[in-house]
Amino acid sequence: MTTLDKVVGGAPVRIDGREKVTGAARYAYEYPVPNAVYVWPVQATIARGRVCAVHGGAALALPGVIAVLDSGNVSRLHPADDAELAVLQSADVAYRGQIVAAVVASTLEGAREAASAVRVDYDEQEHDVVLNPGNPRIFSPRKANAGFPGTLHWGDAESALAAAPAGVDATYTTPAEHASPMEPHATIAFWEGETLTLYNADQAPWMSATALAALFGLADGAVSIVADHTGGGFGSKAVPRPPTVLAALAARAVGRPVKVAMTRQQMFPLVSYRTPTVQRVRLGAELDGRLTAVWHDALQQSSKRVEYTEQTVAASRMMYATPNSHTAHRLLQLDVPTPSWMRAPGEAPGMFALESAMDELAYALGMDPVELRVVNEPALDPESGLPFSSRNLIACLREGAARFGWAGRDPAPGVRRQGRWLVGTGVASSTYPVFTMASTATARAEPMGRFVVEIAAADIGTGARTALAQVAADELGVPMDQITILVGRSAFGPAPFAGGSMGTASWSWAVSKVCRALVRELDERSGVVPPEGLQARADTTEDLAAQGRFSRHSFGAQFAEVKVDVDSGQVRIERLLGVFAAGRIVNARTARSQFLGGMTMGISMALHEALELDPRFGDFTNHDLATYHIASNADVRGIEAHWIDEHDDQLNPIGVKGIGEVGIVGTAAAIANAVFHATGSRQRDLPITLDRVRAAMYTG
Amino acid sequence: MRPFAYERAADPGAAATAVVDGTDAMFLAGGTNLVDLMKLGVARPATLVDVTRLPYDRIEHRADGSVLIGATVRNSDLAGDRGIRERFPMLARAVLSGASGQLRSMATTGGNLLQRTRCPYFQDVTKPCNKRDPGAGCSAIGGGHRDLGVIGTSDSCVATHPSDMAVAMAALDAVVHLRLAGGGERAMPLHDLYLLPGDTPDRETVLEPGDLITGVELPPPPDGAVMLYRKVRDRWSYAFAVVSVAALVTTEGGGSLREIRLALGGVAPKPWRAHQAERMLAGHRPNRELLLAAAEAEFASARPLPGNEFKIGLAADLIAASVRDLTGDLVGEERR
Ligand SMILES: Cc1cc2nc3c(=O)[nH]c(=O)nc-3n(C[C@H](O)[C@H](O)[C@H](O)COP(=O)(O)OP(=O)(O)OC[C@H]3O[C@@H](n4cnc5c(N)ncnc54)[C@H](O)[C@@H]3O)c2cc1C
Ligand code: SF4
């Protein structure tokens, strides 16, 4: 082929960057669809019971109101695994905020006003919404999310804990959290006969279309999703959520295109959240730091309709070498919305607990926390016994320690004072599994030297579109600007979602494969493109099945420096430095953003984010971005992301592991550990708010 | 959102008439609070009377050292005004510590003073709230109230007034100028503008429908005064105060306080002027013990709830820290 410089591994700017900053990029709600009307949901004001009657008369009398929908007058849906999608299918109310009716009107404001005029009568039943560790209905689920075992043991953890010369036994809690992506969930739906088109804020165009076709009882391919640009999702747009179903139901009911756009307030109950967790971690160790037992139990919640168990203890099974292990999830199903995926489900809360406990163990042993992690490096995956395809945790810890200036750190807690500030540093490990799913892609050579690559990937702001164009450019041996890369449409065929950090790993495989196939076909024709063009299609199903058996994970190390204001208890991040080992980095520019974004979300998790349940009403009291805090720019100081050069030939042909989630894993522990180093008081409950810091410093 | 009419008032009299005569009419300034509440269904005016074209958009520094800030001066212009920054720095600080740049560019002096509480139940029409719906009950007292008030509250409402600007103005002995609905004018200390909730938390100020705020006057600060505004919040920007303090001191020989003024935000239904603490401190050379005793006296009548009790200790620490920082006299006596 040619001698063009490879672009994979470079740092090209986003190919859609200009479109986005000039406002030309279209998001779901912005497609001009003639004749569209608007639907506004009416949400349950009880947490459990039944709708007895929906009084829509007053709403229907308002100008521009077209229909009032309820469970009595919308299409029947087919049962789905995700019971949350059974929108308006019965009179049952499973949580406060559930959609119990909706108004369709010719204007958005008119629909909103009319929705407030709909009166709903309920038969209210007592609700149970509190994740109470004493609840007798708590059980041990067999499976956790992503197929992880609910409970797993090896060796004899209890005996090892009893015999261990050093150890930790502590309980950590994390609150319910909400993904709150920048772009609120939005859909435009319209029907043409038995086909449904959805402009949807979506992380998974093909998978969502497939799920919705099944839900509406339509033929495969009858649902077409367009998601050219999606403004973030963090898991909340990785499967269809109730608003999308509502739009499709409403469009069918009124026979016109229907638009729905969630307000921030509506998003909180309707588009999923991360479960709260109560985690107990017990570690046993020899005096040289080697772990003799890891014991990790996580209590979590789900709804009564769906058993969803976040895989919170999964990382504790593969992180460190230990001859004895007991790791278990426990679940309590409540009258709440179903929790679901939010960036690094499992690892994010689980590693807060494990990596805080490791810090506590380091203090118990009088050992440097970096060295404690190093001595517990396993040769093989402790859970599966498989070799790691690559594992560079130690390299990340060492590189991070050097960059951060960790050497010579005085471990004594609560002693470094600068004026009104107490200063401390902390470290924690990060990890995230490498998931890959089969994908298809199409590539077409056109006369005049242009190429078109189509794949039902989703670019949710990550830069996936650009990364895939880079992969195609290298395989085709042409500059990126000769390639048109089209993503975001279900019609392009099977492809996984932008989730589980598997997007680029899965899609780039298909793109690389299809481009190679096209190059072969072109070579057979001596490079001559016929006037009608030349097309190739690829599917990686068999390639995935042929992969060797390895344990595949990304790793990282995060170092934090914090200052704590002794007047107020406010915590300020001074520095946050992450080093990651995540295979081949396709695009240094967009990858850095992913790592920094993950770490920033980790700051939020450590210091800000918490959904506050009001047990009397059964919902979250804070449900807007003024009261549900995430980090502001002023909270993110001195943040740096680096990576080590990692070559792993047991991954996809490009050698990528996925980088979307590892950045949020461990961050909160690094910060909490730094707060301990600064103040001398351990923060085991997130978020670390100033009142908690004050309580620990001044009364605890 | 209820359909509404929008009018732009040509002069103050027309504005007042439009509000007094109109059904459910309200003044609209920057709209940063009112329009949000309309979307949420909390405020449902039928008519909005835009006051931002009225002639109250100037900041007038007078020869005697006082200043008159027009009611429609945008918060960003107030914070950027040179005279304000130089002579009333705590006010510039307070304004800048509130909201975001975009919001401050819209928000006005009058609207800021009259913004409604951020109590989450007040903003959620599906839940009982005495302030929104008198007699319905207060959801916050038995629910989420961490961010709400500890003093001046009542059994019917524990909401706080959320403004930062108003706290600094309270410490600066601000006087609010009104044009009454009937046409007369009136001036009153900022302190007297606000009512405590008692049994009528829906009544937040002494204003009657059609009464228009025309400006806020700040008397000249005392000679030699130093001042600060310190806001403690749950993130370092773009959050309402958990507790804030506006402090002004003048000192005399020997380091004793000739005058001290303290106003607190985030603790009460109005900017809370800590008169009790001021009286205990004036004339004394402050030390941490005395400062904490003064704070304790101030909060003797506090009625904290389980979720916000910490605010009292926090406020005391902030009072102590503010005096420390203003006098430079207590270095080494910070909280351990
Ligand atoms: C996300 C967010 C964060 C915020 N954070 C902060 C913060 O940290 N600190 C802070 O202090 N504030 C904060 N604010 C509140 C902001 O300061 C207020 O919304 C703003 O000051 C209100 O001014 P306005 O001119 O927009 O008022 P409007 O919304 O127009 O009006 C508010 C009320 O005042 C009445 N009114 C207005 N002008 C007059 C007048 N001249 N005479 C009589 N009545 C009048 C209106 O009828 C209305 O009832 C925040 C707001 C938002 C949305
Ligand atoms: S504190 Fe006041 S505003 Fe909040 S719910 Fe109670 S009555 Fe309403």
Side-chain angles (χ1 to χ4, degrees):
Chain A
M1 298 274 325
T2 65
T3 55
L4 273 181
D5 284 345
K6 297 285 187 204
V7 283
V8 168
V13 297
R14 282 175 166 78
I15 53 183
D16 48 11
R18 191 187 159 79
E19 257 185 284
K20 286 188 175 174
V21 299
T22 56
R26 276 212 175 108
Y27 290 82
Y29 198 69
E30 300 172 336
Y31 285 81
V33 174
N35 223 9
V37 294
Y38 301 82
V39 62
W40 199 276
V42 176
Q43 295 174 269
T45 56
I46 62 166
R48 180 165 169 244
R50 278 183 72 77
V51 172
C52 307
V54 173
H55 304 282
L60 281 165
L62 292 171
V65 175
I66 297 163
V68 175
L69 307 176
D70 60 34
S71 65
N73 62 2
V74 300
S75 311
R76 295 298 97 195
L77 298 171
H78 289 239
D81 288 346
D82 182 357
E84 293 287 338
L85 298 185
V87 175
L88 298 179
Q89 296 300 297
S90 86
D92 293 339
V93 175
Y95 59 87
R96 188 175 175 114
Q98 181 187 318
I99 298 174
V100 291
V103 173
V104 184
S106 56
T107 65
L108 179 77
E109 294 77 11
R112 185 176 200 167
E113 176 65 9
S116 72
V118 173
R119 203 161 49 75
V120 181
D121 295 338
Y122 298 99
D123 170 12
E124 187 174 359
Q125 289 155 26
E126 214 173 295
H127 60 253
D128 185 3
V129 295
V130 180
L131 182 59
N132 175 357
N135 192 310
R137 292 195 297 104
I138 292 172
F139 69 103
S140 301
R142 230 170 45 75
K143 285 264 178 242
N145 179 48
F148 290 95
T151 301
L152 195 69
H153 329 259
W154 62 81
D156 178 355
E158 284 299 341
S159 308
L161 285 167
V168 172
D169 180 350
T171 297
Y172 305 87
T173 66
T174 62
E177 295 164 353
H178 198 260
S180 294
M182 181 126 62
E183 178 204 23
H185 290 54
T187 307
I188 304 174
F190 61 92
W191 293 83
E192 290 158 304
E194 286 301 291
T195 66
L196 170 63
T197 302
L198 297 162
Y199 295 98
N200 202 37
D202 209 314
Q203 294 176 242
W206 184 81
M207 287 165 63
S208 296
T210 308
L212 289 165
L215 190 70
F216 281 86
L218 302 174
D220 273 355
V223 175
S224 173
I225 288 190
V226 176
D228 292 338
H229 296 282
T230 293
F234 308 118
S236 71
K237 296 172 185 165
V239 294
R241 303 292 181 196
T244 300
V245 179
L246 176 66
L249 283 172
R252 176 151 255 190
V254 301
R256 287 173 69 172
V258 166
K259 299 179 86 162
V260 65
M262 291 282 93
T263 64
R264 275 292 154 201
Q265 289 84 355
Q266 289 169 340
M267 283 168 69
F268 281 80
L270 286 177
V271 302
S272 85
Y273 62 100
R274 192 200 297 282
T275 176
T277 73
V278 180
Q279 304 178 57
R280 183 171 171 208
V281 179
R282 299 154 78 198
L283 301 175
E286 301 289 357
L287 293 176
D288 64 2
R290 276 178 304 124
L291 289 164
T292 55
V294 171
W295 190 104
H296 188 174
D297 175 276
L299 170 64
Q300 309 175 143
Q301 76 186 36
S302 190
S303 67
K304 286 192 180 153
R305 300 202 289 186
V306 181
E307 180 188 316
Y308 168 83
T309 306
E310 181 145 334
Q311 66 270 38
T312 298
V313 306
S316 293
R317 295 169 178 163
M318 47 62 64
M319 205 53 209
Y320 300 115
T322 179
N324 302 289
S325 172
H326 168 89
T327 51
H329 299 98
R330 286 178 306 128
L331 196 66
L332 179 57
Q333 293 183 281
L334 296 166
D335 301 309
V336 296
T338 310
S340 176
W341 306 324
M342 176 168 152
R343 205 173 199 168
E347 279 74 15
M351 287 287 279
F352 164 64
L354 179 67
E355 292 299 292
S356 295
M358 286 295 279
D359 199 66
E360 299 204 43
L361 181 62
Y363 274 99
L365 291 161
M367 196 170 170
D368 180 80
V370 170
E371 298 311 318
L372 175 65
R373 288 166 173 91
V374 171
V375 302
N376 284 296
E377 178 74 358
L380 300 172
D381 182 335
E383 175 183 358
S384 62
L386 294 173
F388 287 99
S389 63
S390 58
R391 176 173 167 124
N392 282 301
L393 173 62
I394 295 182
C396 292
L397 286 162
R398 295 280 185 234
E399 168 100 14
R403 287 181 179 270
F404 188 78
W406 185 262
R409 169 186 186 255
D410 172 8
V415 296
R416 280 153 304 278
R417 185 75 183 253
Q418 290 175 4
R420 62 181 232 234
W421 303 93
L422 282 165
V423 185
T425 53
V427 65
S429 304
S430 308
T431 189
Y432 195 78
V434 177
F435 295 115
T436 320
M437 278 170 69
S439 178
T440 62
T442 305
R444 199 163 56 247
E446 296 185 334
M448 314 294 291
R450 286 207 63 82
F451 295 88
V452 179
V453 177
E454 295 175 343
I455 182 163
D459 191 329
I460 58 172
T462 56
R465 184 182 261 114
T466 308
L468 295 177
Q470 290 174 258
V471 170
D474 281 1
E475 297 291 4
L476 295 168
V478 300
M480 281 171 74
D481 61 11
Q482 285 182 28
I483 297 172
T484 303
I485 176 107
L486 298 175
V487 303
R489 307 213 166 190
S490 60
F492 296 152
F497 55 0
S501 296
M502 73 174 77
T504 300
S506 308
W507 306 320
S508 69
W509 196 332
V511 167
S512 131
K513 186 174 179 183
V514 78
C515 290
R516 285 181 196 185
L518 185 62
V519 167
R520 271 195 309 276
E521 285 190 37
L522 276 171
D523 285 349
E524 282 164 18
R525 294 161 186 260
S526 320
V528 179
V529 179
E532 72 279 11
L534 190 66
Q535 182 159 308
R537 188 154 172 78
D539 180 341
T540 59
T541 306
E542 285 172 13
D543 309 73
L544 258 85
Q547 271 198 307
R549 281 177 41 76
F550 285 92
S551 174
R552 297 178 176 85
H553 298 266
S554 303
F555 291 91
Q558 301 200 35
F559 294 78
E561 177 181 338
V562 305
K563 280 179 164 179
V564 178
D565 184 340
V566 294
D567 295 338
S568 65
Q570 282 166 292
V571 176
R572 173 138 123 183
I573 310 280
E574 285 296 305
R575 289 193 294 151
L576 184 65
L577 185 149
V579 178
F580 300 93
R584 184 113 172 258
I585 299 303
V586 176
N587 184 323
R589 183 189 306 265
T590 55
R592 175 167 280 111
S593 292
Q594 283 295 296
F595 290 131
L596 295 182
M599 293 164 71
T600 300
M601 214 157 162
I603 293 175
S604 292
M605 178 179 172
L607 302 181
H608 308 116
E609 291 188 49
L611 288 168
E612 282 141 25
L613 178 84
D614 188 322
R616 302 164 305 168
F617 299 108
D619 68 349
F620 301 122
T621 306
N622 53 340
H623 53 206
D624 58 33
L625 292 181
T627 48
Y628 182 80
H629 284 171
I630 60 172
S632 68
N633 285 337
D635 297 290
V636 184
R637 301 155 60 93
I639 190 166
E640 283 177 52
H642 305 275
W643 49 88
I644 61 164
D645 227 3
E646 188 176 69
H647 299 278
D648 183 333
D649 55 12
Q650 298 300 333
L651 304 171
N652 76 357
I654 318 297
V656 306
K657 279 184 171 174
I659 53 176
E661 283 155 291
V662 68
I664 192 183
V665 179
T667 322
I671 292 168
N673 295 341
V675 170
F676 174 75
H677 189 226
T679 63
S681 41
R682 187 58 72 179
Q683 294 293 331
R684 299 190 182 93
D685 304 300
L686 296 184
I688 305 170
T689 49
L690 61 98
D691 43 326
R692 286 179 162 164
V693 173
R694 290 179 61 82
M697 285 202 299
Y698 300 139
T699 49
Chain B
M1 198 171 192
R2 178 179 181 188
F4 60 89
Y6 170 86
E7 288 173 28
R8 197 173 274 160
D11 60 70
T17 311
V19 166
V20 175
D21 295 352
T23 39
D24 299 339
M26 289 179 81
F27 293 131
L28 175 73
T32 60
N33 186 222
L34 180 54
V35 175
D36 275 1
L37 293 176
M38 287 165 65
K39 291 191 200 159
L40 295 171
V42 175
R44 295 178 56 80
T47 304
L48 290 181
V49 181
D50 186 339
V51 299
T52 55
R53 308 286 168 103
L54 299 182
Y56 306 126
D57 60 346
R58 291 190 41 234
I59 300 173
E60 191 190 327
H61 291 277
R62 294 156 167 169
D64 66 354
S66 67
V67 59
L68 180 65
I69 302 160
T72 62
V73 169
R74 306 285 174 176
N75 283 183
S76 47
D77 293 334
L78 176 59
D81 182 85
R82 187 143 172 210
I84 297 291
R85 294 168 72 116
E86 282 173 1
R87 295 193 312 110
F88 306 91
M90 70 150 81
L91 178 58
R93 266 280 125 231
V95 173
L96 283 179
S97 74
S100 66
Q102 292 95 325
L103 286 159
R104 292 193 297 270
S105 295
M106 290 298 290
T108 63
T109 315
N112 193 319
L113 290 178
L114 297 183
Q115 62 175 298
R116 310 296 303 274
T117 183
R118 307 304 292 198
C119 172
Y121 302 99
F122 173 72
Q123 300 192 47
D124 182 346
V125 294
T126 70
K127 292 169 185 163
C129 166
N130 284 327
K131 190 185 274 304
R132 208 183 52 234
D133 184 8
C138 169
S139 295
I141 290 173
H145 52 245
R146 171 185 181 271
D147 298 332
L148 302 184
V150 293
I151 192 164
T153 55
S154 72
D155 288 341
S156 51
C157 181
V158 294
T160 48
H161 191 272
S163 169
D164 291 296
M165 182 193 81
V167 177
M169 286 180 170
L172 291 166
D173 285 342
V175 174
V176 178
H177 289 251
L178 303 176
R179 183 196 179 282
L180 301 177
E185 289 186 5
R186 191 176 161 197
M188 67 175 75
L190 176 74
H191 199 71
D192 297 337
L193 175 70
Y194 298 105
L195 300 171
L196 292 179
D199 295 334
T200 52
D202 53 314
R203 290 273 299 150
E204 294 179 347
T205 68
V206 298
L207 300 186
E208 296 293 337
D211 287 355
L212 185 69
I213 296 180
T214 58
V216 176
E217 183 183 349
L218 304 179
D223 283 345
V226 285
M227 60 181 90
L228 60 69
Y229 184 76
R230 184 154 170 204
K231 178 175 180 179
V232 168
R233 44 184 153 175
D234 284 319
R235 60 183 168 191
W236 287 99
S237 178
Y238 207 18
F240 287 92
V242 174
V243 175
S244 68
V245 58
L248 175 155
V249 304
T250 58
T251 45
E252 50 201 6
S256 58
L257 299 169
R258 185 160 25 128
E259 181 173 359
I260 174 162
R261 299 191 211 153
L262 296 165
L264 297 166
V267 296
K270 62 193 241 178
W272 194 258
R273 189 66 189 266
H275 288 298
Q276 183 82 8
E278 291 173 8
R279 276 193 295 274
M280 276 179 68
L281 292 167
H284 294 277
R285 186 176 170 164
N287 57 52
R288 187 169 163 82
E289 215 169 286
L290 178 64
L291 285 159
L292 293 186
E296 194 175 323
E298 184 64 43
F299 283 102
S301 65
R303 34 199 329 278
L305 296 164
N308 65 12
E309 211 168 353
F310 74 94
K311 284 190 174 185
I312 294 178
L314 175 56
D317 279 345
L318 284 183
I319 288 172
S322 301
V323 175
R324 171 197 76 203
D325 291 345
L326 286 176
T327 59
D329 200 26
L330 295 164
V331 183
E333 280 203 51
E334 296 102 330
R335 179 125 209 194
R336 283 165 313 276

